[in-house]
Amino acid sequence: MTPKRFMTLPRHILEGEKLHPEATGELSAILNQLSLAVKVISLEVNKAGLVDILGFTGDSNIHGEQVKKLDIFAHEMLIKAMDHGGHFCVMASEEEEDIIHIPQHHKIGKYVLLFDPLDGSSNIDVNISIGTIFSIYKRISPGKGAGTIVDCLQQGYNQVAAGYIIYGSSTVFVYSAGHGVYGFTLDPAFGEFLLSHDDIKIPRSGRVYSINEGNYFSWHQGLKNYIKHLQSNLYNGKPYQARYVGSMVADIHRTLINGGIFMYPGDRRNAKGKLRLMYECNPMSFIVESAGGRATDGKMRILEKKPESLHERTPIYIGSIEDVLTVEKFMREAEKTVYDY
Ligand code: AFP
């Protein structure tokens, strides 16, 4: 079957740049290099089901070779692919405690790359969709030398591009450079990402909510009221449907395409929730907002949050604008009422 417009990712990026006379072609080069790295990761992810043959468990395989865990593999693959092109002054990964410096023998560039090499990796062994998430900024530290933590700790609205790659029934590369959101599906036959989701717009409201209800008893009362509202809010005789994969990339991808809301709240045990501001929440919020959605921590836009540390966490409510506004309303109202927990 001939794809819609046979538009490959590199061509799409190039055509996107033509719309910006000030563009230098560097962002194209970065996104193309990234797409190469994730093609390799996609191949390894698809093999993950063969672990006990290939021994991709972190244990040594049948050849006695030391093999790496898949997310460590993905982490190292991304660094190897992205550290020598002369585009970045510094990088940071969810897998690494500190910032990642560009090796001295490589040229220092003006961009900053943050990434979660393999999100949802605890789902690998059970063959559930996982993904890679990336976020790109321009450096803010003066000079042309090595970048610093300051370049990494920028507010999300400073991103020049962001996206994710979902390794699911097919591998899909979704990105935004701030002018629309586009999805490309990898055609394994000839290894090219082809445009499959043109100018994605998230529906203003959806019929699906996504949250780990196992944490229900430590939730904020307003959130409990909101979930009760969804479960009793019948539409064509049906309440909102609950869907939760436990891989943010998979839950956000479904929410982006079908609408609805994904939530990872703060609660009485973890006031800041679980998800990382820099590697997960900022890039996903950039994507969802570019598609017409909304992303907050229950009160303020995720993209306006001032980061204090590389691995800080934040509560997140993200998805269709009407659904996110509604949960915020329920939480505000609950704050006015004194509940005895
Ligand atoms: P892992 O990478 O450890 O599997 O965590 C996945 C994740 O960061 C995100 O993808 C999920 O939305 C969230 O954590 C799932 O967390 P819970 O298991 O607490 O629901």
Side-chain angles (χ1 to χ4, degrees):
M1 184 174 73
T2 319
K4 249 189 295 193
R5 282 169 46 207
F6 218 78
M7 169 64 81
T8 64
L9 177 58
R11 189 172 136 212
H12 187 267
I13 297 166
L14 218 53
E15 294 198 357
E17 282 226 356
K18 286 192 197 128
L19 303 173
H20 306 279
E22 78 287 0
T24 61
E26 271 207 83
L27 198 54
S28 304
I30 290 171
L31 292 169
N32 286 329
Q33 196 59 17
L34 200 57
S35 71
L36 183 63
V38 297
K39 284 178 193 171
V40 177
I41 297 170
S42 173
L43 274 178
E44 292 307 324
V45 167
N46 293 342
K47 264 196 277 179
L50 303 170
V51 269
D52 38 10
I53 296 171
L54 294 176
F56 219 80
T57 62
D59 311 330
S60 58
N61 66 17
I62 55 177
H63 312 301
E65 296 153 346
Q66 254 311 308
V67 290
K68 301 170 178 142
K69 267 175 47 179
L70 203 46
D71 47 13
I72 302 301
F73 171 86
H75 167 73
E76 289 171 354
M77 170 50 67
L78 285 159
I79 293 175
K80 246 188 296 188
M82 308 309 283
D83 72 357
H84 60 283
H87 305 300
F88 297 111
C89 61
V90 67
M91 301 192 285
S93 165
E94 203 219 20
E95 285 301 328
E96 196 101 18
E97 192 60 37
D98 289 324
I99 59 176
I100 301 164
H101 293 289
I102 303 300
Q104 275 166 352
H105 54 284
H106 290 325
K107 187 167 153 279
I108 298 283
K110 64 172 190 247
Y111 289 96
V112 178
L113 175 67
L114 293 101
F115 58 91
D116 180 352
L118 217 53
D119 177 64
S121 51
S122 58
N123 287 317
I124 292 172
D125 303 2
V126 286
N127 214 0
I128 287 177
S129 302
I130 51 180
T132 296
I133 310 173
F134 67 89
S135 171
I136 300 169
Y137 295 84
K138 277 206 175 134
R139 72 175 302 156
I140 51 175
S141 62
K144 294 190 177 329
T148 68
I149 185 79
V150 174
D151 294 303
C152 297
L153 295 182
Q154 296 186 49
Q155 286 163 291
Y157 58 62
N158 278 345
Q159 290 171 99
V160 290
Y164 60 83
I165 298 86
I166 178 166
Y167 310 108
S169 45
S170 53
T171 294
V172 181
F173 188 117
V174 174
Y175 89 103
S176 176
H179 313 283
V181 179
Y182 302 89
F184 298 78
T185 299
L186 182 61
D187 187 321
F190 49 96
E192 271 296 351
F193 281 107
L194 296 174
L195 183 65
S196 50
H197 302 75
D198 196 4
D199 199 14
I200 303 170
K201 290 283 177 254
I202 185 169
R204 280 190 65 78
S205 67
R207 295 299 303 172
V208 169
Y209 70 98
S210 183
I211 188 169
N212 182 343
E213 296 199 56
N215 301 325
Y216 179 86
F217 286 101
S218 49
W219 285 349
H220 182 294
Q221 187 61 42
L223 180 55
K224 289 179 179 174
N225 299 347
Y226 172 65
I227 298 295
K228 287 286 159 269
H229 155 77
L230 296 183
Q231 292 167 343
S232 57
N233 168 312
L234 301 191
Y235 179 74
N236 290 346
K238 279 179 74 177
Y240 264 65
Q241 298 298 293
R243 294 283 182 279
Y244 190 73
V245 177
S247 280
M248 186 188 194
V249 172
D251 285 313
I252 291 287
H253 188 63
R254 182 199 57 247
T255 304
L256 188 66
I257 307 294
N258 297 346
I261 184 168
F262 170 81
M263 300 165 273
Y264 207 107
D267 59 29
R268 286 209 299 274
R269 281 174 303 152
N270 308 302
K272 293 254 174 144
K274 176 186 180 185
L275 303 180
R276 314 283 178 169
L277 174 61
M278 301 313 292
Y279 307 103
E280 294 170 309
C281 300
N282 266 336
M284 290 304 197
S285 302
F286 186 81
I287 290 282
V288 167
E289 282 204 8
S290 305
R294 183 175 170 79
T296 73
D297 64 3
K299 290 197 175 78
M300 77 182 286
R301 270 176 83 211
I302 295 285
L303 297 180
E304 282 170 15
K305 291 174 80 79
K306 284 202 175 50
E308 281 146 21
S309 67
L310 214 43
H311 297 277
E312 72 178 81
R313 302 170 195 266
T314 177
I316 186 165
Y317 302 82
I318 180 170
S320 297
I321 198 161
E322 287 172 16
D323 293 303
V324 178
L325 288 169
T326 308
V327 68
E328 290 168 2
K329 183 169 75 51
F330 271 84
M331 297 218 278
R332 266 196 315 279
E333 275 157 15
E335 261 159 29
K336 292 187 213 125
T337 321
V338 181
Y339 288 90
D340 55 348
Y341 283 114

